Amino acid sequence: MNVYDCIVIGGGAAGSAAALTLGRARRNIVIFDDATNRNRVTQESHGYLTRDGITPSEFREIGLKELQAYPSITICNDKVIEVKQDNQNHLFEVSTGQHRYTTETLLLATGIQEEFPLEAIKEYYGKSLFSCPYCDGWEMRDLPLAVIAEDQAFAHHLAKLVFNWSKDLVVFTNGFELSEDVRNDLDRNHIQAYTTKIKRLHGKVGILEHIELEDGTMVARQGGFVIPKFYRSNDLAQQLRCTFDESGAIVTDGTGHTSVEGVYVAGETEKSGPSSLLLAAADGSRAAASINFDLSSKRF
Ligand SMILES: Cc1cc2nc3c(=O)[nH]c(=O)nc-3n(C[C@H](O)[C@H](O)[C@H](O)COP(=O)(O)OP(=O)(O)OC[C@H]3O[C@@H](n4cnc5c(N)ncnc54)[C@H](O)[C@@H]3O)c2cc1C
């Protein structure tokens, strides 16, 4: 039976950085990826030092090319659907439906996905509506922008943040009320807030032009920021019986170890919340060092 040192599930920033560290540590690994990285909808990635403005596809291609230089790394463009631990030998079995693989350790790096307050946002997401001002605020600077957030605390938080990039800001809560305190805070900064439900977004090829409210009001906006709900698109951590905290984060020791021996996690899937390419890559690299050290200790 061929037993891998590690199987990395997810070839985004976290998984690929982990694979690179493991390949360089001479580990025999497989990295799976099903091309559902959440930034695939956007044109450019920003803020990754030396790669500012790169397209997500080029970022992936460069990463893959670097991994291919290490003969102990196998790359599989496939979706993992099941993982389980064999209680007798403590090895893990990973299944894609068609094929099964056995490994001593597992790294979960499958990222997260978004759900939006309005389905129509999808058409604009990554082109003129974004969720991370640090990623795309610079490109949207000084434009007439919208903040679309249904939760009052998030709306307040995002308005404060985005105001740094554009003072021409309008808040939309899609039917949710705002407290007097928040309203006063927005008023003080000349930020208009609409709590009426949004009926439709108008624009062309993903570039926002107007937001239409259910009462017929049309508000001209050229883009903006939204607060999606983030979620994991699989239950692999549940299948492995990892422990979760009350916020839904997978419990770790801060260096990628989960509560299950041999199972590690890196990137956005850990907290089921957004971060960045650089932070996810750093997570992956750190988790890989934990995996390598644990394997090295076992065999010493
Ligand atoms: C519109 C948009 C713009 C962004 N812009 C920026 C930016 O400018 N700068 C920046 O730093 N960040 C940006 N981000 C955020 C960035 O994309 C994430 O922080 C980063 O991708 C997180 O890395 P990750 O490895 O945790 O997850 P991901 O990059 O999402 O990678 C997870 C990988 O796991 C794979 N996967 C999932 N499930 C399975 C499975 N069952 N089997 C096999 N493979 C699986 C997916 O195919 C995916 O490739 C942006 C995000 C979005 C949505």
Side-chain angles (χ1 to χ4, degrees):
M1 181 172 57
N2 185 16
V3 179
Y4 289 97
D5 292 322
C6 183
I7 286 184
V8 177
I9 312 177
S16 299
L20 182 60
T21 301
L22 290 167
R24 292 182 51 74
R26 315 180 72 181
R27 297 299 174 195
N28 195 21
I29 71 160
V30 187
I31 175 167
F32 285 96
D33 194 77
D34 69 352
T36 56
N37 48 306
R38 76 180 179 97
N39 65 343
R40 66 193 183 283
V41 297
T42 198
Q43 328 284 309
E44 289 182 358
S45 292
H46 306 106
Y48 194 110
L49 194 63
T50 77
R51 294 285 182 261
D52 193 31
I54 194 170
T55 63
S57 57
E58 199 188 350
F59 186 87
R60 282 171 78 81
E61 272 163 35
I62 294 172
L64 277 177
K65 206 167 156 205
E66 288 181 355
L67 296 185
Q68 279 160 358
Y70 297 88
S72 67
I73 301 178
T74 302
I75 300 165
C76 274
N77 297 318
D78 216 338
K79 183 185 178 80
V80 170
I81 57 166
E82 195 185 32
V83 282
K84 61 182 177 206
Q85 189 165 26
D86 184 325
N87 288 333
Q88 282 178 344
N89 58 19
H90 297 290
L91 297 175
F92 298 93
E93 197 175 84
V94 170
S95 169
T96 59
Q98 286 193 312
H99 301 285
R100 287 182 187 281
Y101 302 78
T102 307
T103 179
E104 216 169 319
T105 63
L106 255 184
L107 175 65
L108 304 177
T110 53
I112 50 174
Q113 298 293 329
E114 300 95 341
E115 193 184 300
F116 299 104
L118 294 167
E119 194 57 21
I121 288 174
K122 270 190 185 163
E123 208 184 307
Y124 299 86
Y125 195 56
K127 298 188 183 77
S128 60
L129 292 177
F130 303 92
S131 57
C132 166
Y134 295 103
C135 300
D136 301 288
W138 172 260
E139 284 64 36
M140 307 300 282
R141 67 193 184 280
D142 298 327
L143 291 177
L145 298 183
V147 161
I148 306 176
E150 292 186 328
D151 177 282
Q152 155 160 305
F154 284 152
H156 196 195
H157 172 87
L158 194 57
K160 269 186 209 171
L161 204 56
V162 177
F163 195 62
N164 174 56
W165 281 276
S166 177
K167 306 281 178 259
D168 186 352
L169 206 57
V170 179
V171 169
F172 299 85
T173 67
N174 194 32
F176 288 79
E177 284 311 315
L178 292 171
S179 70
E180 212 180 308
D181 281 354
V182 171
R183 276 214 176 262
N184 288 342
D185 224 15
L186 296 176
D187 282 351
R188 196 166 44 76
N189 289 293
H190 310 288
I191 299 172
Q192 208 170 350
Y194 290 97
T195 54
T196 313
K197 267 190 165 300
I198 297 171
K199 184 173 179 191
R200 202 169 292 140
L201 302 182
H202 297 266
K204 285 186 202 90
V205 288
I207 307 302
L208 187 68
E209 289 171 0
H210 288 91
I211 296 182
E212 182 182 354
L213 302 179
E214 287 207 331
D215 62 9
T217 308
M218 293 281 266
V219 187
R221 297 286 93 187
Q222 289 181 22
F225 290 85
V226 299
I227 302 251
K229 285 195 179 107
F230 295 100
Y231 65 95
R232 293 183 194 92
S233 62
N234 61 68
D235 65 353
L236 300 178
Q238 283 90 340
Q239 290 179 27
L240 291 160
R241 299 180 197 285
C242 291
T243 305
F244 294 80
D245 70 14
E246 61 286 350
S247 74
I250 298 172
V251 172
T252 71
D253 67 343
T255 66
H257 297 91
T258 69
S259 57
V260 179
E261 198 180 331
V263 178
Y264 303 77
V265 66
E268 294 184 333
T269 205
E270 178 185 330
K271 294 193 169 59
S272 193
S275 66
S276 73
L277 292 164
L278 198 60
L279 294 173
D283 276 356
S285 189
R286 185 168 37 221
S290 296
I291 294 167
N292 183 58
F293 186 72
D294 293 347
L295 289 169
S296 300
S297 301
K298 239 167 121 177
R299 292 167 194 179
F300 187 67

